[in-house]
Amino acid sequence: MLDYAQARRLMVDCQLRTFDVNDIAVLDAFEDVPRERFVPPGREDFAYSDQTLRLDAHSRAMPAPMLLARMIQSLTVLPGTRVLDVAAGYGYGTALLQRLGAQVTALESDAGLCAGARERLAGLTGVAVVSGPLDAGNPASAPYDAILINGRIEVRPQALLDQLADGGRLVCVMGRDRAAKTTVFVRAGDAFGARPLFDASLPLLDAFAVEAGFAF
């Protein structure tokens, strides 16, 4: 049987540290949270591979560890930070954010994944799992200091941006196919700045797909 604790240490040392993840709190969270608990049943031995793991037959996936770590690091999460975790899947990102001290709302539109997230996150303080359309966010708990989108988007997520607090950040993988980049949006009053960080790839979330006939 795979030694998951050793696999986590190797993931941190060989994947995260070599991909410019240098926030000690983020590294500690990835070493502490058991990633194998948040993958589909029977896929536990693939939990620490350096790849995106599909969670269903459609668009849901768990980002590769080094990508997710860089995305979370870019949000500058501190104890008490209010975070919306969009397309949360089985809740791995939510568990990491909670480990960093955040108050996290996990948003998932797929009923099966939502139920799986509730089961896996049960008992964690400061975590709420809600079901609803991904592109609508969860305005009932807004504003958020940070928003994480676990998937690729092709259109500006304006409804989510509107739920950011002043100074809040949203991180996502945005763009078409191979042209996609991890991008951070920052709110300043009623304005939103965007900064691309690095090339990345994730499955497209249907809720954020470009409509037919629309030029990106």
Side-chain angles (χ1 to χ4, degrees):
M1 177 179 290
L2 182 65
D3 184 336
Y4 293 122
Q6 181 181 32
R8 280 196 295 279
R9 288 191 294 271
L10 289 173
M11 175 188 70
V12 169
D13 290 340
C14 301
Q15 297 180 41
L16 275 57
R17 292 183 187 275
T18 61
F19 194 53
D20 296 327
V21 181
N22 49 33
D23 186 303
I24 298 301
V26 173
L27 293 170
D28 286 346
F30 272 80
E31 187 163 345
D32 288 346
V33 176
R35 184 175 167 92
E36 70 275 7
R37 288 187 56 198
F38 298 91
V39 301
R43 300 280 288 172
E44 290 85 0
D45 286 353
F46 297 93
Y48 296 97
S49 60
D50 182 17
Q51 62 181 346
T52 296
L53 292 180
R54 291 277 185 171
L55 298 178
D56 63 13
H58 304 292
S59 62
R60 291 296 188 280
M62 180 187 293
M66 63 181 185
L67 172 56
L68 183 59
R70 284 284 299 274
M71 293 174 77
I72 290 176
Q73 180 173 262
S74 73
L75 292 174
T76 315
V77 175
L78 300 172
T81 298
R82 294 170 56 83
V83 185
L84 178 64
D85 187 19
V86 179
Y90 287 127
Y92 179 58
T94 296
L96 291 166
L97 292 161
Q98 191 270 349
R99 174 64 177 77
L100 291 169
Q103 302 290 313
V104 192
T105 299
L107 174 63
E108 182 51 68
S109 60
D110 181 277
L113 292 175
C114 195
R118 288 195 175 100
E119 178 183 350
R120 290 162 173 79
L121 297 169
L124 294 184
T125 60
V127 170
V129 179
V130 298
S131 178
L134 302 181
D135 55 344
N138 186 59
S141 298
Y144 302 99
D145 304 304
I147 297 177
L148 169 68
I149 302 179
N150 296 274
R152 181 167 58 88
I153 69 174
E154 293 180 336
V155 297
R156 182 183 176 94
Q158 193 59 51
L160 300 182
L161 292 172
D162 289 340
Q163 292 171 37
L164 282 175
D166 192 15
R169 295 182 171 206
L170 179 150
V171 66
C172 60
V173 173
M174 185 171 187
R176 301 290 294 274
D177 302 321
R178 295 181 181 274
K181 295 182 180 296
T182 299
T183 302
V184 173
F185 290 85
V186 181
R187 181 168 193 168
D190 293 329
F192 300 91
R195 179 167 61 96
L197 300 179
F198 53 89
D199 294 342
S201 177
L202 280 175
L204 175 64
L205 295 172
D206 293 340
F208 299 97
V210 171
E211 296 180 5
F214 181 83
F216 178 75

